[in-house]
Amino acid sequence: MDGFKTVWAFLGLVIISIMASSSYGNGISVSCMMMYDEGGVPAVYESNECLQWVLSTASLHNRTDDCQFAQLQGLREYQEDRISCDLHLRIPLPGKNGLEEVRLGVVAVFDGHGGEEASEMASNLLFNYFYLHYVFKMYKLMVQYKGDLTMAESKSLLLEVLKEALLSTIHDIDAKFTQEALENNLVSGSTATIIVMFDGQILVANVGDSKALIFSDKIQSGQDSEAVLSVIELTKDHHPDRDDERARIEVAGGSVIVRGGT
């Protein structure tokens, strides 16, 4: 499905000042927060009043250290797919007694269709958008709790903040590419399968029909016990023959047409 027409370098002093502040004045400015609330991360990047965020995320890129992947180009003249991976992404986690650095693993696959523009944009923007969404959402959470969260309490809320940041990232990239596609008459699309790993937990976001599987060894009990490969499917493909997917398409004003069969 082409529904995703479009799908951190620790910034020490900058992020510390943001997270340690109990008011917008010393961290995220009121105007930048308003920009974020109204238009998400793209609005922050486009605002002349929030240029510090463009500079603060300039060093983020599609790292592939310690990641292994294989690609098959197929019949097209160029590779439409993109892979983004960073198994050592560091984010700041604030508590009322200080700041702790937390490490995440982020892996993403963007399967391009009809061109490379959508998958290219998605892979280029993923880390920057995800990082900033996390920072702004965590900052708002600290303001809500008046900076009184302990580190343990912050950790208990972290997965939910990461989930919200990931969903917002996908939404913003989709919206940005949709706008660019309309302005430049682009017809490409992309799936998006993104995995975030933290403290033994796995967060999965999926748009389209790329698939994520987790493999592990499992020891069979019995006299001739041996290790067998266990496979768990982490995603469900968004195919139009699914009732919920067909309903989503029709609510959006589209339709599902089947040719050559029933």
Side-chain angles (χ1 to χ4, degrees):
M1 177 190 110
D2 288 351
F4 188 72
K5 296 190 287 294
T6 24
V7 233
W8 304 35
F10 180 62
L11 309 175
L13 295 177
V14 175
I15 301 303
I16 287 175
S17 68
I18 292 169
M19 293 302 190
S21 170
S22 60
S23 66
Y24 291 166
N26 295 325
I28 299 176
S29 68
V30 174
S31 59
C32 285
M33 185 58 74
M34 290 177 63
M35 290 289 180
Y36 178 77
D37 288 338
E38 293 173 3
V41 166
V44 174
Y45 273 106
E46 293 167 6
S47 170
N48 291 329
E49 299 179 34
C50 307
L51 291 178
Q52 71 271 26
W53 294 108
V54 178
L55 297 175
S56 66
T57 57
S59 61
L60 301 181
H61 53 91
N62 295 335
R63 297 181 54 187
T64 54
D65 300 349
D66 301 327
C67 299
Q68 298 180 10
F69 60 91
Q71 293 177 294
L72 180 63
Q73 181 169 314
L75 300 177
R76 291 191 179 273
E77 297 180 358
Y78 54 89
Q79 177 61 264
E80 294 181 320
D81 306 336
R82 297 292 185 271
I83 295 172
S84 298
C85 179
D86 189 345
L87 300 181
H88 307 283
L89 187 60
R90 300 185 182 277
I91 61 171
L93 183 65
K96 63 181 180 180
N97 295 322
L99 193 72
E100 185 175 311
E101 193 177 71
V102 176
R103 190 177 74 180
L104 307 176
V106 181
V107 182
V109 172
F110 303 100
D111 180 7
H113 300 294
E116 60 187 350
E117 296 88 358
S119 57
E120 179 73 10
M121 176 181 285
S123 64
N124 286 337
L125 296 180
L126 173 64
F127 288 113
N128 288 2
Y129 277 29
F130 182 50
Y131 189 89
L132 281 194
H133 270 302
Y134 167 79
V135 169
F136 274 72
K137 291 179 185 298
M138 182 57 80
Y139 183 85
K140 292 177 73 172
L141 191 65
M142 292 300 293
V143 171
Q144 176 185 342
Y145 285 91
K146 300 180 181 180
D148 199 35
L149 286 174
T150 65
M151 193 60 67
E153 290 169 333
S154 291
K155 285 184 177 179
S156 69
L157 295 170
L158 179 57
L159 194 64
E160 187 60 32
V161 177
L162 292 173
K163 177 182 177 180
E164 292 179 5
L166 187 53
L167 290 172
S168 296
T169 295
I170 294 174
H171 176 273
D172 280 356
I173 296 176
D174 179 67
K176 184 170 181 61
F177 185 77
T178 298
Q179 179 182 359
E180 184 164 311
L182 291 172
E183 293 174 352
N184 298 282
N185 197 29
L186 301 176
V187 296
S188 65
S190 178
T191 69
T193 297
I194 308 170
I195 308 293
V196 178
M197 297 166 284
F198 164 69
D199 195 26
Q201 302 177 88
I202 299 176
L203 187 63
V204 185
N206 182 57
V207 181
D209 59 0
S210 291
K211 191 177 294 295
L213 306 170
I214 186 169
F215 295 84
S216 62
D217 288 338
K218 207 171 200 178
I219 306 299
Q220 286 185 328
S221 59
Q223 185 175 3
D224 299 324
S225 62
E226 60 178 6
V228 295
L229 196 60
S230 173
V231 182
I232 299 175
E233 187 178 20
L234 300 179
T235 59
K236 296 295 184 183
D237 295 351
H238 294 131
H239 288 157
D241 57 358
R242 280 176 39 172
D243 292 340
D244 58 344
E245 184 61 14
R246 176 188 286 267
R248 186 196 65 80
I249 293 170
E250 293 175 348
V251 167
S255 60
V256 177
I257 301 174
V258 179
R259 292 189 176 95
T262 58

